[in-house]
Amino acid sequence: MRLGEKRVGFRADIQGLRAIAVLLVVLYHAKLPGLTGGYVGVDVFFVISGFLITAHLLATLADHGKISLIDFYARRLRRLLPASMTVIALTTVAARLWVPPLSLPPIFKDAAATSLYIPNFLFAQNDVDYLSGPNPSVFQHYWSLGVEEQFYLAWPLLMAIAFILFRRSSRAILCTLLVTLVVSLGLCVWITARAQPWAFFMVPTRAWEFAAGGVVAYLVSSTRIQLSTRLSGILSWSGIVGLFAAALAFDEATLFPGFAAALPVGAAVLIILGGALKNQARWTGQAVLSVRPLVFIGTISYSLYLVHWPLLVIPQIITSERHTLPLWASLALVTLSVPVAWLLDRLVENPASNWRLASIARPRATLWVAAALTVAFTSAALFALTNARTLPLYLLSKAPQAVVSTHPVGTNYVPSNMVPSIRKASADNPAIYGSGCHLPVVQTDPQGCTTGDFGAPVSVALFGDSHAAHWFPALDVLAEQGKIVLTAHTKSSCPSFELPAYLLVAPYPECAQWREGVVSRLESDPPAVVVLSNFLDGDLGGLGHRDLAALSTAVEQTVRRLSVESTVVVLADTPNFEISPSACLSAHLADADACSRRFSDARSLAIASVVETATKRGGGELVDLTRYLCNNHSCPVVIGDTLVYRDSSHLTASFSSLMSDVLGDKIMMSRRREISTPP
C-alpha cells in the first residue's frame, strides 16, 4: 500500500473520544469528586490531533508529493484562530468589568502572551503548578492550545524534510514518527523529574503524544493492517478502561507527565486503532463512542474547552474566596458552558472554518489577516496592562497616623498616604525574607539568625512558620532599641508544633527535620523567652478540625519541652480573612469596611480554645493580641494610615512594627510572672 493511500475520513468514534476528553477536563476543573486525574483529557486531545494532522499530511504527500506549508498554516488558522480570539476578547472584557483592579495586570499580561500563542512559555517560566497551583490564570487553559499551535508549526515542515531527504520513502516518515516519539518521551521523563512545569507545558516534552497519534495514522492509512471485529473490540474497550483508570487513579500528587502520561496516551492510541474498521459491531467501544450525544459534545469540544475555564475562574476571582467555589456552583457553570460553547461553535468557529470567501482566497491573505489580528489583540492587551498598572488605587484624602490600641476603629477608605500602598502590600514582608533568614521549603538549617545587642537584658527566640515571621518586625524594633537580643527560627509552612502528618497539606520531611533541630538548639542553649506563633486557623491542610485532640497534644508537647528553662509565650493566631484585603480594597476605595471581617468569623474559637488550654498544661502562657486588631464587631484592614494585612492572614511589616511596644510589654509581663512564681 502506498503512503497515505487509505484515507481517514470522518469518524464518529473520534468525535465521541473528543467528548470524553473534554468532559474529563471540564469536570476535573469543576472539582467533581473522584475525578482527580481528569486532566489527562488534554493528553487524549494531543493524540487525536497527532492522528488527524498526520493522516492529512500523509494524504497530501500521496496526492501531490509535497506539503504546501502556507496552505496548511492557513487552514489551521481558520480553524483555530476565530474562536480563540473571540474568547480572549470576551474574557478580557469580563475581567475589566468585574475583576478587582489590583488583579487586572497579570490577567492582561497573560492575555498578551496568549494572543502571541506562547502562554505555555509564560506558565513554564513562572513555575506554574497546573495540578494544584493557587490563583490560576483565566487563560491557563490556553497552554494546550499554545502547545498544539507550536506543534502545527513544526510538524509539517519536519515531515516534508524527511520525505524529500529520503527520496520520498514512506519508511522515512515512519522513522521520523518513531524517533520523535522515543526522543520526546525520554526528554519528558527526564525533565519531569527535575523541572515539572517545563515538562508539563512545553512542546519538546509533549511531542511524543502527537507522534503516538501520528504512528497510528501511518498504520491505518499506509499499511495493510487488518483488525478482526473481536480484536477491534478488545483494543477499544481496553483503551476506554485505561483512560478512565488514569482519570480516577491519578491526582495532584502524580508526577506528570513523565511515565504516567503513557497510560492515557496508550489508551487513546488503542481506542483510535480499534476503530480502524469501517463497520463496527454493536458491542465495540467505537459503537458506544459514536452515540449522538457524545458526537454532539465532540463537535463543540474545542469551543467548550475554550469557554468553560473563564466561566469557572472569573466568578472565583469576583467572590474573592480563598476556597474553591461550591460544587453545585461549579457544576452549574459547567452546564452553562455547553450552550455557550454551542453558540460559539455555531456563530464563530463553524462559519469561520467554512467561510467560502476565505477558502477561495489565497492562503497568504489568511496569514496576513491572522498576523494583523495577533498584533491588534496583543497591542490591546499591552495597552490595558499599562493602563491597569497606572490606575490610582486610593482616594485623595489622607488619614491620620495609625495608633495601636485595643478595639481599633478602621479607616473607612483607602487614603492616599496609606503605608504600604495597595500595589506594594504583597511585598511588605519582614526583613528576614530578603536576608534569607526565613527558610524556604527545601532548607533545614536550624541555626537561625540573631539580631540586636548581645548585652541586652533578655534573649528571645522566635520560632514557627510564616505567622511567626510576620511578628519579626515588632520584635526587631525591640532588638534595635537594645531591649532584647532576638534569634529568629522561621520556615515557610512549617509549624513549630509537631502536628500529625494527616493534618498537613502534603508530606513535609524537611519541616520535621528543621523543627527537631531548632527544638534541640533551644533545649541545649535556652533563651530567656521562646515566642511561638503558627498558622493554625483555616482548614489545617484541607482536612477540617476533625482531630483537635491531636492538635492539643502537639501544642502541649512542644511547650513542655521548651518551658523547662525558658518562658514560653504562644501567640494566638491573627485573624483569617480568607480573601486578599488589598485586592478587595482596590474595588472598594471609598468603602474599606466592605473588606473587613466580622470578629466572630475571623478565627476558629475551637482551635483558639484548644491552643490556650494546651499551652497552660505545657507550662507556657498564651498571649492574645486580637483585641488590638479587632473591635467588638469587625477586624478592619486599614487602621489610621496603615494597611494591616499583606494577604489573607499575614500582617504587613509596617503594621507589625507598630505593635512592638504592645508585644514587648506582653512578653516581659509573662517573663516576670514566671520568675516571680515559686517553683
Side-chain angles (χ1 to χ4, degrees):
M1 181 177 288
R2 292 190 304 112
L3 183 68
E5 181 177 327
K6 187 178 178 182
R7 303 306 165 92
V8 176
F10 174 79
R11 281 179 51 176
D13 64 304
I14 289 184
Q15 291 292 75
L17 181 57
R18 274 191 172 127
I20 296 297
V22 75
L23 289 174
L24 287 177
V25 173
V26 168
L27 293 175
Y28 166 73
H29 287 157
K31 308 295 183 184
L32 184 69
L35 199 65
T36 53
Y39 53 83
V40 300
V42 173
D43 302 84
V44 176
F45 277 127
F46 289 164
V47 176
I48 294 174
S49 295
F51 172 78
L52 294 176
I53 293 301
T54 304
H56 168 73
L57 294 174
L58 292 175
T60 301
L61 288 173
D63 292 341
H64 306 290
K66 64 179 182 178
I67 296 173
S68 173
L69 296 178
I70 293 179
D71 183 65
F72 175 83
Y73 295 147
R75 288 177 180 271
R76 289 295 90 202
L77 287 171
R78 287 199 299 271
R79 167 73 175 86
L80 299 175
L81 195 64
S84 172
M85 288 297 190
T86 299
V87 174
I88 291 174
L90 293 176
T91 301
T92 304
V93 171
R96 183 63 183 86
L97 291 175
W98 295 310
V99 169
L102 185 64
S103 303
L104 289 176
I107 291 177
F108 295 146
K109 181 180 179 181
D110 292 349
T114 302
S115 299
L116 290 170
Y117 323 114
I118 56 170
N120 53 322
F121 282 88
L122 180 64
F123 299 142
Q125 184 180 20
N126 293 339
D127 287 330
V128 171
D129 186 346
Y130 176 85
L131 303 183
S132 60
N135 306 317
S137 165
V138 294
F139 295 107
Q140 186 165 293
H141 62 313
Y142 271 86
W143 77 268
S144 62
L145 271 70
V147 169
E148 285 209 28
E149 289 158 350
Q150 293 152 28
F151 171 80
Y152 293 152
L153 189 65
W155 193 236
L157 183 62
L158 182 61
M159 289 189 63
I161 292 174
F163 189 67
I164 294 172
L165 287 181
F166 294 94
R167 300 179 181 180
R168 302 175 183 271
S169 168
S170 63
R171 291 184 178 180
I173 297 296
L174 180 60
C175 287
T176 301
L177 290 166
L178 293 175
V179 169
T180 301
L181 192 156
V182 172
V183 172
S184 175
L185 176 58
L187 194 64
C188 175
V189 172
W190 189 79
I191 294 182
T192 298
R194 292 162 176 79
Q196 190 268 346
W198 287 92
F200 193 96
F201 290 116
M202 301 307 293
V203 174
T205 51
R206 291 289 193 163
W208 68 277
E209 302 183 28
F210 295 93
V215 171
V216 180
Y218 182 91
L219 294 176
V220 170
S221 64
S222 304
T223 69
R224 300 187 183 279
I225 183 173
Q226 296 290 333
L227 299 177
S228 65
T229 302
R230 176 176 294 179
L231 179 58
S232 175
I234 292 174
L235 291 177
S236 60
W237 279 114
S238 297
I240 291 173
V241 171
L243 179 56
F244 278 97
L248 296 173
F250 292 178
D251 57 22
E252 297 171 353
T254 303
L255 191 60
F256 200 87
F259 279 120
L263 179 55
V265 169
V269 164
L270 292 178
I271 294 170
I272 297 173
L273 188 59
L277 290 179
K278 289 185 177 180
N279 298 314
Q280 296 285 341
R282 292 183 178 179
W283 54 270
T284 61
Q286 273 60 37
V288 174
L289 292 173
S290 300
V291 297
R292 185 170 296 178
L294 286 181
V295 172
F296 166 74
I297 295 295
T299 302
I300 66 169
S301 59
Y302 177 56
S303 293
L304 180 57
Y305 182 81
L306 288 176
V307 304
H308 87 280
W309 183 248
L311 281 175
L312 284 171
V313 174
I314 290 179
Q316 179 74 66
I317 297 175
I318 294 171
T319 57
S320 298
E321 291 181 350
R322 182 171 63 87
H323 300 292
T324 56
L325 290 172
L327 180 61
W328 67 266
S330 296
L331 293 179
L333 291 169
V334 163
T335 303
L336 175 63
S337 68
V338 174
V340 173
W342 177 80
L343 286 173
L344 182 65
D345 177 80
R346 189 73 177 268
L347 300 178
V348 179
E349 181 183 347
N350 193 47
S353 298
N354 299 299
W355 191 23
R356 186 173 182 274
L357 182 60
S359 63
I360 63 177
R362 292 186 177 183
R364 291 181 186 274
T366 299
L367 298 184
W368 280 112
V369 171
L373 284 173
T374 299
V375 171
F377 273 67
T378 305
S379 299
L382 292 176
F383 174 80
L385 172 61
T386 302
N387 179 260
R389 285 175 172 171
T390 57
L391 285 174
L393 300 183
Y394 54 83
L395 298 184
L396 295 179
S397 301
K398 292 185 177 182
Q401 186 174 359
V403 176
V404 174
S405 65
T406 58
H407 304 89
V409 177
T411 302
N412 191 28
Y413 60 94
V414 178
S416 59
N417 61 332
M418 188 175 74
V419 180
S421 67
I422 285 178
R423 286 196 173 90
K424 295 180 179 180
S426 62
D428 197 44
N429 293 311
I432 52 176
Y433 279 71
S435 67
C437 184
H438 179 73
L439 299 187
V441 170
V442 295
Q443 294 184 14
T444 58
D445 183 6
Q447 182 174 348
C449 300
T450 302
T451 182
D453 186 353
F454 283 93
V458 179
S459 58
V460 176
L462 178 64
F463 180 22
D465 57 20
S466 59
H467 274 223
H470 74 188
W471 287 113
F472 176 85
L475 295 173
D476 190 39
V477 171
L478 301 177
E480 290 179 356
Q481 294 173 348
K483 296 178 180 179
I484 65 171
V485 57
L486 173 64
T487 303
H489 300 278
T490 64
K491 179 176 170 63
S492 292
S493 303
C494 183
S496 50
F497 306 131
E498 190 174 354
L499 297 174
Y502 61 80
L503 288 180
L504 302 178
V505 174
Y508 197 176
E510 297 89 351
C511 176
Q513 180 181 347
W514 172 80
R515 181 197 301 113
E516 184 56 35
V518 173
V519 172
S520 297
R521 287 181 65 89
L522 296 179
E523 286 179 319
S524 61
D525 185 16
V529 180
V530 177
V531 178
L532 305 179
S533 180
N534 301 282
F535 179 52
L536 295 176
D537 209 335
D539 57 7
L540 282 177
L543 298 179
H545 307 151
R546 68 185 182 92
D547 203 340
L548 293 175
L551 172 61
S552 176
T553 300
V555 173
E556 181 180 350
Q557 288 179 344
T558 302
V559 172
R560 191 178 300 280
R561 286 184 65 179
L562 296 175
S563 63
V564 174
E565 295 189 49
S566 301
T567 299
V568 176
V569 173
V570 177
L571 297 182
D573 207 0
T574 48
N576 182 9
F577 282 74
E578 297 189 343
I579 63 170
S580 168
S582 53
C584 178
L585 287 172
S586 71
H588 298 87
L589 299 179
D591 184 21
D593 284 347
C595 303
S596 63
R597 192 162 197 204
R598 288 191 307 175
F599 175 71
S600 58
D601 297 333
R603 59 177 183 163
S604 168
L605 294 180
I607 289 180
S609 176
V610 165
V611 171
E612 181 175 12
T613 302
T615 298
K616 291 179 179 178
R617 285 203 307 263
E621 182 169 341
L622 184 82
V623 170
D624 190 347
L625 301 177
T626 306
R627 285 301 180 182
Y628 292 88
L629 303 172
C630 306
N631 53 51
N632 290 334
H633 305 289
S634 66
C635 302
V637 295
V638 183
I639 297 177
D641 63 348
T642 306
L643 179 64
V644 182
Y645 304 92
R646 61 181 170 87
D647 59 19
S648 62
S649 65
H650 293 91
L651 300 176
T652 60
S654 300
F655 190 82
S656 177
S657 298
L658 298 179
M659 294 286 290
S660 60
D661 288 341
V662 171
L663 181 57
D665 289 344
K666 297 289 185 181
I667 290 175
M668 297 309 172
M669 287 175 60
S670 298
R671 176 64 177 167
R672 286 194 293 269
R673 273 196 293 267
E674 178 167 304
I675 293 175
S676 62
T677 301

